[in-house]
Amino acid sequence: MVTADEALEMILDNVAALGTERVAILDAVGRVLAEQVRSPRDIPPFDNSAMDGYALRAADVAGASEARPVALKVIETVGAGTMPRLALEPGQATRTMTGAPLAPGADAIVPVERTRMAGQDVVEILASAEAGAFVRRRGEDVGLDEAVLSQGRRLTPADIGMLASLNRSVVHVQRRPRVAIVTTGDELVDIDHIPAGAEVVNSNAYALAGAVREAGCEAVILAIARDRLEEIRDRLGEALAFDAVLSSGGVSVGQFDYVARALEEVGMRELFHGVAQKPGRPLAFGTIGWRPLFGLPGNPVSTLLCFYLYARPALLRMAGRRDLGLARIGARCGVDLKLSAGLTDFVRVRLERPGGETVAMPTGAQGSGILSSVSRADGLLVGPAALAMLRAGDQATVLLLAADAAADCEPFFEDRHRRQKN
Ligand code: AMP
Ligand code: MG
């Protein structure tokens, strides 16, 4: 049996990024960029107006005010998408819309709100302007050949917009693992079957598929394997067409637990079987070539926690991600917790903030069959292997199951009254 730390280290030492592929940028949000993206041009490519207004020479309107307006001759009107035809001489202005190029000879924009018309082609300027006022300079967003997006970053919607503005409709990203989910058990029935007698609905397949997808990977649920060596072996054989394999159940010491043997028979190099932790003690892990295989214990809680703690970091590394672990925070234990000496305990907890301080409260019975205790949990409190007890008020680490679980996720209103109403 290995420790939880040893298990994670062995897993991470034995998986690597899968390689890259080209995808349309609309499919690239959340993907890991596999190239450095440079700009083939200045953005914006020309000086342009930040406001609807008048392009003019700042020197012409020095000292202009409401009381002492400066009259300029309007020589042309330029909308966004058109080039000015005329260069500006002293005493002239070009009516210029937001985004339209600045007329040659102009060095500032005065917004239309600080002007008034005084005849057909004459505008009165009611305020002075600094040179450069309301002008968006060529290249002020991105310069020619500037590195815009670095390799390894996770693409955000703003990044997708940047790529589009660089005319990149397709981009190189890290491939993300396609994961096979193999569930085993004579008691299991499919989701559309109402269980009778000793039957159990195959919930692990769905919990795991959901967790795989949440991690940004693809999940494929294979047909349930009965507790027979050949059937499990066949199903694992099918699963080897995928980048990673998650099996559930049959990996403990029961009389019908054939998964470890089946994994061996399909050629897995076993790295460990058994982790000094609770829950999830029977976890097995190994590789076939570069493919990782996880023999997850069948108890619904153990399956899911082993996924979060061990399979998820492996899949993220395969997808080229660098942030492999769950977000973690410090919290105080809300109650006395009896721990299993010699095992790392992962206790399902809810986070509360009675007085600004974060307190972790167990979500009820901690049996490894009680899936609702995970459903209700914000995170997993780590009970160190060396301790037999954590007392109420003791400081502990909590691994967050949802990144936003402990954050303030109320809709944001600057105004307190609106906030209360909502
Ligand atoms: P095992 O690890 O095969 O000994 O299973 C341990 C417990 O988990 C048993 O109560 C099983 O019925 C339950 N179990 C195993 N696989 C699943 C599954 N796919 N969905 C829901 N429960 C399961
Ligand atoms: Mg079983």
Side-chain angles (χ1 to χ4, degrees):
M1 196 155 65
V2 297
T3 67
D5 285 353
E6 287 165 347
L8 183 57
E9 193 170 35
M10 269 190 258
I11 289 165
L12 292 178
D13 283 348
N14 281 281
V15 292
L18 285 176
T20 67
E21 64 183 344
R22 283 157 56 83
V23 298
I25 58 172
L26 271 182
D27 297 322
V29 185
R31 302 291 296 271
V32 176
L33 186 63
E35 59 176 308
Q36 191 191 49
V37 175
R38 290 180 174 279
S39 178
R41 74 178 85 90
D42 287 325
I43 300 179
F46 47 84
D47 293 352
N48 68 88
S49 178
M51 299 287 277
D52 295 323
Y54 290 85
L56 45 70
R57 295 162 179 261
D60 280 352
V61 298
S65 68
E66 200 77 48
R68 308 182 56 183
V70 173
L72 299 175
K73 182 169 179 350
V74 180
I75 56 169
E76 149 173 57
T77 299
V78 185
T82 15
M83 291 302 284
R85 283 176 303 114
L86 304 172
L88 212 66
E89 302 291 339
Q92 297 183 339
T94 296
R95 192 179 289 118
T96 305
M97 304 306 142
T98 304
L102 215 63
D107 63 1
I109 295 286
V110 171
V112 69
E113 295 84 350
R114 297 178 198 169
T115 69
R116 69 174 166 241
M117 292 306 293
Q120 179 85 65
D121 290 332
V122 178
V123 62
E124 285 185 343
I125 309 297
L126 308 176
S128 65
E130 301 271 310
F134 299 110
V135 175
R136 303 197 282 217
R137 287 281 168 218
R138 167 179 185 158
E140 74 173 16
D141 188 352
V142 178
L144 168 68
D145 206 37
E146 189 178 322
V148 182
L149 300 172
S150 52
Q151 187 166 345
R153 74 175 276 119
R154 269 187 96 197
L155 294 169
T156 65
D159 296 344
I160 302 304
M162 291 299 308
L163 288 165
S165 68
L166 305 176
N167 300 100
R168 292 291 308 269
S169 55
V170 170
V171 70
H172 266 106
V173 294
Q174 296 285 339
R175 213 154 77 61
R176 35 178 199 180
R178 296 185 67 230
V179 182
I181 295 172
V182 174
T183 45
T184 70
D186 281 342
E187 74 281 30
L188 299 183
V189 294
D190 278 323
I191 191 165
D192 45 13
H193 184 106
I194 308 295
E199 293 173 341
V200 171
V201 177
N202 180 10
S203 62
N204 285 354
Y206 294 87
L208 286 173
V212 166
R213 285 192 180 188
E214 191 182 57
C217 306
E218 272 179 60
V220 175
I221 299 173
L222 304 189
I224 296 166
R226 300 294 145 206
D227 288 318
R228 268 176 290 289
L229 181 60
E230 317 76 60
E231 195 167 330
I232 297 170
R233 205 176 48 205
D234 287 354
R235 202 67 80 250
L236 290 173
E238 286 170 40
L240 292 181
F242 293 78
D243 298 311
V245 180
L246 304 177
S247 76
S248 128
V251 78
S252 191
V253 293
Q255 195 176 341
F256 307 109
D257 289 345
Y258 296 119
V259 168
R261 221 172 104 199
L263 285 168
E264 191 189 311
E265 289 189 11
V266 295
M268 185 181 86
R269 177 172 69 104
E270 184 181 291
L271 284 141
F272 62 80
H273 185 180
V275 180
Q277 65 181 1
K278 193 174 163 198
R281 191 173 180 152
L283 175 68
F285 171 75
T287 56
I288 298 181
W290 50 266
R291 281 187 179 79
L293 296 89
F294 292 85
L296 305 169
N299 274 306
V301 174
S302 315
T303 294
L304 211 41
L305 297 205
C306 285
F307 176 86
Y308 280 116
L309 297 168
Y310 302 104
R312 183 177 176 276
L315 296 178
L316 293 184
R317 173 160 282 178
M318 293 171 83
R321 294 267 296 269
R322 293 172 190 159
D323 43 347
L324 305 180
L326 297 168
R328 78 192 71 169
I329 61 163
R332 292 205 182 277
C333 252
V335 295
D336 288 348
L337 281 176
K338 200 170 137 20
L339 302 176
S340 335
L343 305 179
T344 305
D345 286 85
F346 295 100
V347 183
R348 287 139 266 164
V349 293
R350 223 163 0 94
L351 297 174
E352 297 174 357
R353 292 168 189 274
E357 214 184 21
T358 307
V359 175
M361 296 297 287
T363 56
Q366 296 285 311
S368 53
I370 300 179
L371 187 55
S372 62
S373 67
V374 187
S375 185
R376 280 194 296 269
D378 296 315
L380 306 174
L381 180 145
V382 182
L387 297 185
M389 181 96 196
L390 274 171
R391 298 220 169 261
D394 283 354
Q395 197 65 39
T397 297
V398 175
L399 310 176
L400 301 179
L401 294 176
D404 53 6
D408 175 5
C409 297
E410 300 291 310
F412 175 75
F413 296 101
E414 211 170 347
D415 170 23
R416 192 154 42 87
H417 299 292
R418 292 221 170 91
R419 193 173 310 174
Q420 277 161 1
K421 200 180 84 196
N422 284 270

